[in-house]
Amino acid sequence: MTDGMDVTLHVPGALAGYAGGRREVRVALGAGELATTVSGVLDRVAAELPALERRIRDENAAIRRHVNVYVDGADIRTLSGAQTTVPAGGVIDVIAAVSGG
Amino acid sequence: MTDTLLLAGTRKGLLLARRRGGSWHTEPLALPMTAVYAVGIDARRPTPRLFASATSEHWGPTILHSDDLGASWSEPDHAPVAFPKDVETALARVWQIQPGPSSDPDVMYAGTEPAALFRSEDGGINFELVRPLWEHPHRPQWGAGYGGQAIHTVLPHPVDPRRILIALSSGGVYRSYDSGESWAAANTGIKATFLPEEQRYPEFGQCVHKVAQDAENPERLYLQNHNGVYRSDDWGGTWVSIAQGLPGEFGFGIVADPHRGGHAYVFPLVSDYSRFTPDFRCRVYGTTDAGESWAEVGSGLPESEFYSLVLRDAFTADAADPLGLYFGTRSGELYAGGAGRWERVASNLPDVLSVRVLALA
């Protein structure tokens, strides 16, 4: 979204249409901010790309049950969930879980 | 024969079928990998607006609309239907999309899972929770059927725009006389066969499967229950059984002819313990005397070894003369017919969840 201190959100192909066709969204951190949380990143995504964010989280800001989120390769369910720290320069991967028929 | 647009929501996408010059043509599946539990048509507009509720197993629910008869679909950036933050509940899916009264052409309703009613005043683009129903003291005691707990029926009164009636599984029928500001249960006479014998007529809690509005009498309703078919002549105040003459009283959908009073249709199943069609024959039954008698409708449906069924919203009628009926099955067939011969419009679809039809000018 801007240059400078930011984190990168990798968007799955199924959701690229909700990110203007992009597979990668850059989310800027605040001035002097060295890290944020997954929740903080998605709050910023919600402000600019609400149709993307609402497919990752429900209206209670809970990450959807069949969506897997990784921070720098680690499943946030094994960390602190949506409160997992994302450092400046960090990468968030959003991936569809195994489900459906 | 009238040119027709048929919308069939399936478990993995939306099928549009068009009948032109008497022949059906199906289009490639739209909205793939979404369960389309509800389709809706708002024919009050110069160009009818189509709706589809689409739920992705991964990416959640939304409602899309089309103002070009299905050539393209769009949705707002923000969720068209979402629970307010203070409610601390998340939308699972939309089960019903229903135009409001003709006097309020921009009002649309959505019935959802979990069981809630949403109202739109901008033609179905953005919806807001109808809080008085959500805050009803009965709500904590409402149950969930096998398919989930949802409001699947929304019926604005055909004459009085302040009146609206809803039904949910399980909870039963509720009605409002004041535009949704207050609600009361309306289940007198409807049996809850899944309760102990002495508790089978509760004030609420019945597993009502679908309700339909009679074409001529604004106070008359038809109801397919979880075991039982009923009629009310006082807009839900009391219900009487009209199952006599049907080969099975279980079923999901019930459809009223939109033009002929007393005409209604069901797709009977044997019972809740045997959710098959009687003798494994695929059959629609109809009444022309408000449920006093029933008869098979049309010919040409599978005569044997039919092990599928029709879900509550996968059954509808058009406004043509003679009447056209349409249904989709859990085994992915789509049929059109009526008093004459049924024809198969499509097959090999995912489970059909919802069907609506529009006569094209």
Side-chain angles (χ1 to χ4, degrees):
Chain A
M1 294 176 178
T2 66
D3 294 330
M5 300 292 280
D6 55 22
V7 301
T8 300
L9 179 74
H10 285 161
V11 178
L15 299 187
Y18 305 106
R22 290 174 288 170
R23 295 292 305 274
E24 189 175 293
V25 172
R26 310 279 279 192
V27 177
L29 299 184
E33 199 175 16
L34 299 177
T36 182
T37 62
V38 170
S39 181
V41 171
L42 292 175
D43 286 347
R44 291 169 215 204
V45 172
E48 295 196 28
L49 298 167
L52 173 64
E53 182 270 344
R54 69 181 165 93
R55 285 171 165 82
I56 301 170
R57 299 193 296 186
D58 67 23
E59 58 263 59
N60 292 314
I63 291 172
R64 295 192 181 280
R65 181 179 166 202
H66 297 302
V67 174
N68 293 338
V69 177
Y70 296 80
V71 172
D72 292 333
D75 185 343
I76 65 168
R77 289 193 183 91
T78 67
L79 302 172
S80 300
Q83 297 311 309
T84 298
T85 298
V86 186
V91 174
I92 299 177
D93 284 290
V94 173
I95 300 174
V98 177
S99 69
Chain B
M1 186 172 280
T2 311
D3 286 358
T4 303
L5 174 62
L6 190 59
L7 286 75
T10 81
R11 196 167 294 283
K12 287 202 284 193
L14 172 68
L15 183 85
L16 268 61
R18 296 172 197 269
R19 180 170 56 197
R20 294 194 188 95
S23 299
W24 286 99
H25 306 275
T26 57
E27 299 181 0
L29 201 70
L31 314 179
M33 294 304 290
T34 61
V36 181
Y37 270 67
V39 285
I41 299 171
D42 183 0
R44 298 169 299 176
R45 299 172 169 276
T47 299
R49 177 170 286 173
L50 313 183
F51 296 90
S53 87
T55 302
S56 162
E57 190 75 19
H58 296 105
W59 316 117
T62 192
I63 291 182
L64 300 102
H65 62 272
S66 171
D67 287 331
D68 53 14
L69 298 180
S72 63
W73 294 86
S74 56
E75 58 175 326
D77 282 342
H78 294 273
V81 178
F83 284 90
K85 295 275 186 229
D86 65 291
V87 170
E88 297 182 347
T89 301
L91 179 71
R93 53 179 62 92
V94 174
W95 282 58
Q96 189 72 180
I97 305 169
Q98 172 66 44
S102 54
S103 58
D104 294 321
D106 287 326
V107 171
M108 293 288 298
Y109 289 99
T112 69
E113 173 189 350
L117 180 66
F118 287 77
R119 175 184 165 100
S120 167
E121 296 186 351
D122 63 0
I125 310 301
N126 297 285
F127 291 80
E128 288 193 11
L129 178 67
V130 175
R131 282 185 182 265
L133 184 61
W134 180 257
E135 292 164 0
H136 197 285
H138 291 172
R139 191 180 65 80
Q141 297 172 68
W142 291 346
Y146 176 75
Q149 185 209 65
I151 289 179
H152 49 66
T153 298
V154 183
L155 290 176
H157 191 273
V159 177
D160 182 350
R162 295 165 301 175
R163 288 204 248 166
I164 184 167
L165 181 142
I166 62 98
L168 68 145
S169 300
S170 60
V173 176
Y174 285 77
R175 57 183 180 170
S176 170
Y177 283 83
D178 53 11
S179 303
E181 290 299 314
S182 63
W183 296 84
N187 300 292
T188 301
I190 303 174
K191 199 171 186 177
T193 56
F194 48 87
L195 294 178
E197 187 66 41
E198 65 279 8
Q199 300 173 31
R200 288 188 170 177
Y201 290 94
E203 179 189 7
F204 65 95
Q206 285 85 344
C207 189
V208 171
H209 285 176
K210 197 70 191 171
V211 186
Q213 171 74 54
D214 185 77
E216 292 179 1
N217 182 345
E219 309 306 313
R220 176 169 284 174
L221 301 163
Y222 306 98
L223 185 151
Q224 174 67 64
N225 197 42
H226 182 104
N227 289 337
V229 181
Y230 295 87
R231 187 187 76 227
S232 173
D233 291 331
D234 54 7
W235 199 59
T238 54
W239 298 89
V240 295
S241 174
I242 54 170
Q244 183 76 28
L246 286 169
E249 63 175 22
F250 193 86
F252 292 102
I254 189 162
V255 169
D257 184 323
H259 286 313
R260 297 161 193 84
H263 291 222
Y265 302 87
V266 291
F267 190 89
L269 304 176
V270 173
S271 73
D272 55 347
Y273 292 112
S274 182
R275 297 182 184 198
F276 296 103
T277 53
D279 300 322
F280 306 109
R281 297 169 72 227
C282 179
R283 279 293 177 277
V284 170
Y285 277 72
T287 178
T288 57
D289 53 13
E292 296 300 318
S293 62
W294 296 91
E296 293 183 13
V297 176
S299 61
L301 292 171
E303 289 287 347
S304 64
E305 300 181 65
F306 180 81
Y307 303 119
S308 190
L309 54 76
V310 175
L311 293 173
R312 77 189 79 222
D313 260 304
F315 186 23
T316 195
D318 64 20
D321 185 13
L323 179 74
L325 292 167
Y326 307 82
F327 68 86
T329 68
R330 288 204 67 175
S331 46
E333 297 102 12
L334 197 55
Y335 288 96
R341 187 163 182 85
W342 291 90
E343 60 181 320
R344 194 163 62 188
V345 175
S347 56
N348 301 319
L349 302 173
D351 322 32
V352 180
L353 306 174
S354 53
V355 175
R356 291 292 184 273
V357 65
L358 174 68
L360 298 173

mmCIF file of all heavy atoms in Angstrom, chain B residues 51-81:
data_model
loop_
_atom_site.group_PDB
_atom_site.id
_atom_site.type_symbol
_atom_site.label_atom_id
_atom_site.label_comp_id
_atom_site.label_asym_id
_atom_site.label_seq_id
_atom_site.Cartn_x
_atom_site.Cartn_y
_atom_site.Cartn_z
ATOM 1 N N PHE B 51 -30.760 -12.118 -7.560
ATOM 2 C CA PHE B 51 -29.897 -12.244 -6.383
ATOM 3 C C PHE B 51 -29.425 -13.686 -6.234
ATOM 4 O O PHE B 51 -30.161 -14.624 -6.576
ATOM 5 C CB PHE B 51 -30.654 -11.868 -5.104
ATOM 6 C CG PHE B 51 -31.086 -10.432 -5.047
ATOM 7 C CD1 PHE B 51 -32.314 -10.046 -5.551
ATOM 8 C CD2 PHE B 51 -30.256 -9.472 -4.497
ATOM 9 C CE1 PHE B 51 -32.716 -8.724 -5.503
ATOM 10 C CE2 PHE B 51 -30.653 -8.147 -4.440
ATOM 11 C CZ PHE B 51 -31.882 -7.766 -4.945
ATOM 12 N N ALA B 52 -28.242 -13.832 -5.685
ATOM 13 C CA ALA B 52 -27.742 -15.160 -5.327
ATOM 14 C C ALA B 52 -26.944 -15.036 -4.045
ATOM 15 O O ALA B 52 -26.063 -14.179 -3.944
ATOM 16 C CB ALA B 52 -26.862 -15.724 -6.442
ATOM 17 N N SER B 53 -27.283 -15.849 -3.060
ATOM 18 C CA SER B 53 -26.435 -15.916 -1.870
ATOM 19 C C SER B 53 -25.397 -16.993 -2.139
ATOM 20 O O SER B 53 -25.742 -18.113 -2.526
ATOM 21 C CB SER B 53 -27.259 -16.242 -0.630
ATOM 22 O OG SER B 53 -27.400 -17.625 -0.442
ATOM 23 N N ALA B 54 -24.148 -16.629 -2.003
ATOM 24 C CA ALA B 54 -23.060 -17.548 -2.340
ATOM 25 C C ALA B 54 -22.151 -17.695 -1.129
ATOM 26 O O ALA B 54 -21.651 -16.703 -0.603
ATOM 27 C CB ALA B 54 -22.268 -17.011 -3.528
ATOM 28 N N THR B 55 -21.980 -18.929 -0.688
ATOM 29 C CA THR B 55 -21.128 -19.181 0.475
ATOM 30 C C THR B 55 -19.978 -20.078 0.074
ATOM 31 O O THR B 55 -20.186 -21.201 -0.395
ATOM 32 C CB THR B 55 -21.932 -19.847 1.602
ATOM 33 O OG1 THR B 55 -23.025 -19.005 1.953
ATOM 34 C CG2 THR B 55 -21.057 -20.085 2.836
ATOM 35 N N SER B 56 -18.783 -19.562 0.246
ATOM 36 C CA SER B 56 -17.581 -20.360 0.017
ATOM 37 C C SER B 56 -17.202 -21.060 1.303
ATOM 38 O O SER B 56 -17.205 -20.447 2.378
ATOM 39 C CB SER B 56 -16.432 -19.452 -0.430
ATOM 40 O OG SER B 56 -15.192 -20.109 -0.261
ATOM 41 N N GLU B 57 -16.875 -22.321 1.189
ATOM 42 C CA GLU B 57 -16.428 -23.069 2.368
ATOM 43 C C GLU B 57 -15.215 -22.386 3.006
ATOM 44 O O GLU B 57 -15.051 -22.409 4.218
ATOM 45 C CB GLU B 57 -16.059 -24.491 1.936
ATOM 46 C CG GLU B 57 -15.798 -25.448 3.057
ATOM 47 C CD GLU B 57 -17.077 -25.909 3.743
ATOM 48 O OE1 GLU B 57 -18.171 -25.795 3.153
ATOM 49 O OE2 GLU B 57 -16.969 -26.377 4.873
ATOM 50 N N HIS B 58 -14.416 -21.765 2.179
ATOM 51 C CA HIS B 58 -13.222 -21.101 2.697
ATOM 52 C C HIS B 58 -13.455 -19.629 3.011
ATOM 53 O O HIS B 58 -13.078 -19.140 4.065
ATOM 54 C CB HIS B 58 -12.081 -21.184 1.668
ATOM 55 C CG HIS B 58 -11.630 -22.570 1.401
ATOM 56 N ND1 HIS B 58 -11.960 -23.238 0.242
ATOM 57 C CD2 HIS B 58 -10.910 -23.429 2.140
ATOM 58 C CE1 HIS B 58 -11.428 -24.450 0.283
ATOM 59 N NE2 HIS B 58 -10.791 -24.594 1.416
ATOM 60 N N TRP B 59 -14.075 -18.930 2.066
ATOM 61 C CA TRP B 59 -14.045 -17.465 2.118
ATOM 62 C C TRP B 59 -15.332 -16.828 2.604
ATOM 63 O O TRP B 59 -15.501 -15.625 2.502
ATOM 64 C CB TRP B 59 -13.659 -16.912 0.739
ATOM 65 C CG TRP B 59 -12.517 -17.622 0.084
ATOM 66 C CD1 TRP B 59 -12.541 -18.315 -1.084
ATOM 67 C CD2 TRP B 59 -11.157 -17.730 0.567
ATOM 68 N NE1 TRP B 59 -11.310 -18.847 -1.365
ATOM 69 C CE2 TRP B 59 -10.440 -18.506 -0.375
ATOM 70 C CE3 TRP B 59 -10.487 -17.254 1.699
ATOM 71 C CZ2 TRP B 59 -9.095 -18.814 -0.221
ATOM 72 C CZ3 TRP B 59 -9.135 -17.567 1.856
ATOM 73 C CH2 TRP B 59 -8.461 -18.334 0.910
ATOM 74 N N GLY B 60 -16.264 -17.646 3.076
ATOM 75 C CA GLY B 60 -17.438 -17.107 3.739
ATOM 76 C C GLY B 60 -18.581 -16.733 2.803
ATOM 77 O O GLY B 60 -18.551 -17.001 1.605
ATOM 78 N N PRO B 61 -19.612 -16.105 3.395
ATOM 79 C CA PRO B 61 -20.853 -15.825 2.655
ATOM 80 C C PRO B 61 -20.919 -14.417 2.081
ATOM 81 O O PRO B 61 -20.305 -13.483 2.599
ATOM 82 C CB PRO B 61 -21.916 -15.981 3.746
ATOM 83 C CG PRO B 61 -21.222 -15.502 4.981
ATOM 84 C CD PRO B 61 -19.759 -15.845 4.836
ATOM 85 N N THR B 62 -21.712 -14.281 1.019
ATOM 86 C CA THR B 62 -22.020 -12.961 0.485
ATOM 87 C C THR B 62 -23.321 -13.058 -0.312
ATOM 88 O O THR B 62 -23.839 -14.150 -0.526
ATOM 89 C CB THR B 62 -20.875 -12.425 -0.396
ATOM 90 O OG1 THR B 62 -21.101 -11.029 -0.660
ATOM 91 C CG2 THR B 62 -20.771 -13.175 -1.707
ATOM 92 N N ILE B 63 -23.848 -11.910 -0.689
ATOM 93 C CA ILE B 63 -24.975 -11.865 -1.633
ATOM 94 C C ILE B 63 -24.519 -11.072 -2.846
ATOM 95 O O ILE B 63 -23.981 -9.970 -2.713
ATOM 96 C CB ILE B 63 -26.216 -11.182 -1.019
ATOM 97 C CG1 ILE B 63 -26.824 -12.041 0.084
ATOM 98 C CG2 ILE B 63 -27.264 -10.925 -2.091
ATOM 99 C CD1 ILE B 63 -28.079 -11.437 0.705
ATOM 100 N N LEU B 64 -24.748 -11.634 -4.029
ATOM 101 C CA LEU B 64 -24.466 -10.924 -5.270
ATOM 102 C C LEU B 64 -25.778 -10.581 -5.950
ATOM 103 O O LEU B 64 -26.797 -11.239 -5.728
ATOM 104 C CB LEU B 64 -23.610 -11.777 -6.198
ATOM 105 C CG LEU B 64 -22.251 -12.167 -5.620
ATOM 106 C CD1 LEU B 64 -22.287 -13.599 -5.128
ATOM 107 C CD2 LEU B 64 -21.139 -11.969 -6.626
ATOM 108 N N HIS B 65 -25.733 -9.545 -6.790
ATOM 109 C CA HIS B 65 -26.935 -9.190 -7.541
ATOM 110 C C HIS B 65 -26.557 -8.944 -8.996
ATOM 111 O O HIS B 65 -25.400 -8.652 -9.331
ATOM 112 C CB HIS B 65 -27.621 -7.965 -6.932
ATOM 113 C CG HIS B 65 -26.788 -6.730 -6.948
ATOM 114 N ND1 HIS B 65 -25.905 -6.424 -5.929
ATOM 115 C CD2 HIS B 65 -26.685 -5.723 -7.846
ATOM 116 C CE1 HIS B 65 -25.309 -5.293 -6.203
ATOM 117 N NE2 HIS B 65 -25.756 -4.843 -7.361
ATOM 118 N N SER B 66 -27.558 -9.078 -9.832
ATOM 119 C CA SER B 66 -27.344 -8.868 -11.266
ATOM 120 C C SER B 66 -28.475 -8.010 -11.805
ATOM 121 O O SER B 66 -29.655 -8.305 -11.581
ATOM 122 C CB SER B 66 -27.324 -10.217 -11.992
ATOM 123 O OG SER B 66 -27.321 -10.013 -13.396
ATOM 124 N N ASP B 67 -28.114 -6.957 -12.515
ATOM 125 C CA ASP B 67 -29.119 -6.094 -13.152
ATOM 126 C C ASP B 67 -29.169 -6.304 -14.663
ATOM 127 O O ASP B 67 -29.779 -5.514 -15.386
ATOM 128 C CB ASP B 67 -28.823 -4.623 -12.824
ATOM 129 C CG ASP B 67 -29.165 -4.303 -11.372
ATOM 130 O OD1 ASP B 67 -30.075 -4.949 -10.814
ATOM 131 O OD2 ASP B 67 -28.519 -3.407 -10.789
ATOM 132 N N ASP B 68 -28.516 -7.370 -15.138
ATOM 133 C CA ASP B 68 -28.556 -7.669 -16.573
ATOM 134 C C ASP B 68 -28.951 -9.129 -16.805
ATOM 135 O O ASP B 68 -28.426 -9.792 -17.692
ATOM 136 C CB ASP B 68 -27.217 -7.324 -17.231
ATOM 137 C CG ASP B 68 -26.032 -7.979 -16.526
ATOM 138 O OD1 ASP B 68 -26.267 -8.902 -15.701
ATOM 139 O OD2 ASP B 68 -24.892 -7.573 -16.779
ATOM 140 N N LEU B 69 -29.866 -9.591 -15.955
ATOM 141 C CA LEU B 69 -30.437 -10.943 -16.091
ATOM 142 C C LEU B 69 -29.374 -12.037 -16.075
ATOM 143 O O LEU B 69 -29.472 -13.032 -16.795
ATOM 144 C CB LEU B 69 -31.305 -11.031 -17.357
ATOM 145 C CG LEU B 69 -32.520 -10.094 -17.381
ATOM 146 C CD1 LEU B 69 -33.302 -10.279 -18.684
ATOM 147 C CD2 LEU B 69 -33.441 -10.352 -16.193
ATOM 148 N N GLY B 70 -28.366 -11.822 -15.267
ATOM 149 C CA GLY B 70 -27.394 -12.877 -15.039
ATOM 150 C C GLY B 70 -26.164 -12.832 -15.914
ATOM 151 O O GLY B 70 -25.289 -13.685 -15.779
ATOM 152 N N ALA B 71 -26.053 -11.825 -16.773
ATOM 153 C CA ALA B 71 -24.839 -11.720 -17.593
ATOM 154 C C ALA B 71 -23.633 -11.368 -16.730
ATOM 155 O O ALA B 71 -22.506 -11.790 -17.003
ATOM 156 C CB ALA B 71 -25.037 -10.678 -18.689
ATOM 157 N N SER B 72 -23.848 -10.570 -15.682
ATOM 158 C CA SER B 72 -22.763 -10.225 -14.761
ATOM 159 C C SER B 72 -23.339 -10.113 -13.353
ATOM 160 O O SER B 72 -24.537 -9.866 -13.177
ATOM 161 C CB SER B 72 -22.117 -8.898 -15.172
ATOM 162 O OG SER B 72 -23.051 -7.835 -15.076
ATOM 163 N N TRP B 73 -22.468 -10.311 -12.371
ATOM 164 C CA TRP B 73 -22.872 -10.290 -10.969
ATOM 165 C C TRP B 73 -21.947 -9.352 -10.210
ATOM 166 O O TRP B 73 -20.749 -9.303 -10.487
ATOM 167 C CB TRP B 73 -22.796 -11.693 -10.371
ATOM 168 C CG TRP B 73 -23.784 -12.629 -10.980
ATOM 169 C CD1 TRP B 73 -23.614 -13.375 -12.117
ATOM 170 C CD2 TRP B 73 -25.117 -12.884 -10.530
ATOM 171 N NE1 TRP B 73 -24.756 -14.085 -12.391
ATOM 172 C CE2 TRP B 73 -25.696 -13.809 -11.430
ATOM 173 C CE3 TRP B 73 -25.869 -12.433 -9.450
ATOM 174 C CZ2 TRP B 73 -27.002 -14.288 -11.288
ATOM 175 C CZ3 TRP B 73 -27.164 -12.918 -9.296
ATOM 176 C CH2 TRP B 73 -27.718 -13.826 -10.209
ATOM 177 N N SER B 74 -22.506 -8.622 -9.263
ATOM 178 C CA SER B 74 -21.676 -7.719 -8.468
ATOM 179 C C SER B 74 -22.134 -7.720 -7.026
ATOM 180 O O SER B 74 -23.212 -8.223 -6.692
ATOM 181 C CB SER B 74 -21.710 -6.307 -9.058
ATOM 182 O OG SER B 74 -23.033 -5.852 -9.162
ATOM 183 N N GLU B 75 -21.316 -7.136 -6.193
ATOM 184 C CA GLU B 75 -21.589 -7.042 -4.760
ATOM 185 C C GLU B 75 -20.871 -5.822 -4.224
ATOM 186 O O GLU B 75 -19.899 -5.359 -4.826
ATOM 187 C CB GLU B 75 -21.091 -8.296 -4.035
ATOM 188 C CG GLU B 75 -19.600 -8.524 -4.238
ATOM 189 C CD GLU B 75 -19.067 -9.696 -3.440
ATOM 190 O OE1 GLU B 75 -19.563 -9.936 -2.331
ATOM 191 O OE2 GLU B 75 -18.130 -10.339 -3.916
ATOM 192 N N PRO B 76 -21.334 -5.289 -3.110
ATOM 193 C CA PRO B 76 -20.607 -4.157 -2.527
ATOM 194 C C PRO B 76 -19.278 -4.626 -1.925
ATOM 195 O O PRO B 76 -19.105 -5.814 -1.643
ATOM 196 C CB PRO B 76 -21.569 -3.646 -1.444
ATOM 197 C CG PRO B 76 -22.422 -4.824 -1.096
ATOM 198 C CD PRO B 76 -22.542 -5.646 -2.343
ATOM 199 N N ASP B 77 -18.343 -3.675 -1.735
ATOM 200 C CA ASP B 77 -17.076 -4.039 -1.096
ATOM 201 C C ASP B 77 -17.310 -4.549 0.323
ATOM 202 O O ASP B 77 -16.732 -5.544 0.744
ATOM 203 C CB ASP B 77 -16.132 -2.835 -1.050
ATOM 204 C CG ASP B 77 -15.470 -2.600 -2.393
ATOM 205 O OD1 ASP B 77 -15.466 -3.529 -3.230
ATOM 206 O OD2 ASP B 77 -14.962 -1.482 -2.614
ATOM 207 N N HIS B 78 -18.182 -3.834 1.041
ATOM 208 C CA HIS B 78 -18.475 -4.258 2.407
ATOM 209 C C HIS B 78 -19.524 -5.373 2.369
ATOM 210 O O HIS B 78 -20.334 -5.455 1.447
ATOM 211 C CB HIS B 78 -18.970 -3.077 3.238
ATOM 212 C CG HIS B 78 -17.910 -2.043 3.438
ATOM 213 N ND1 HIS B 78 -17.011 -2.126 4.473
ATOM 214 C CD2 HIS B 78 -17.594 -0.946 2.729
ATOM 215 C CE1 HIS B 78 -16.169 -1.089 4.388
ATOM 216 N NE2 HIS B 78 -16.509 -0.362 3.337
ATOM 217 N N ALA B 79 -19.502 -6.208 3.396
ATOM 218 C CA ALA B 79 -20.420 -7.347 3.419
ATOM 219 C C ALA B 79 -21.861 -6.863 3.329
ATOM 220 O O ALA B 79 -22.288 -6.045 4.143
ATOM 221 C CB ALA B 79 -20.208 -8.138 4.703
ATOM 222 N N PRO B 80 -22.627 -7.357 2.357
ATOM 223 C CA PRO B 80 -24.014 -6.908 2.239
ATOM 224 C C PRO B 80 -24.885 -7.332 3.416
ATOM 225 O O PRO B 80 -25.806 -6.620 3.794
ATOM 226 C CB PRO B 80 -24.491 -7.541 0.929
ATOM 227 C CG PRO B 80 -23.511 -8.612 0.608
ATOM 228 C CD PRO B 80 -22.232 -8.243 1.254
ATOM 229 N N VAL B 81 -24.567 -8.480 3.983
ATOM 230 C CA VAL B 81 -25.282 -8.955 5.174
ATOM 231 C C VAL B 81 -24.233 -9.320 6.218
ATOM 232 O O VAL B 81 -23.378 -10.178 5.959
ATOM 233 C CB VAL B 81 -26.145 -10.192 4.867
ATOM 234 C CG1 VAL B 81 -26.837 -10.694 6.137
ATOM 235 C CG2 VAL B 81 -27.174 -9.882 3.792
#
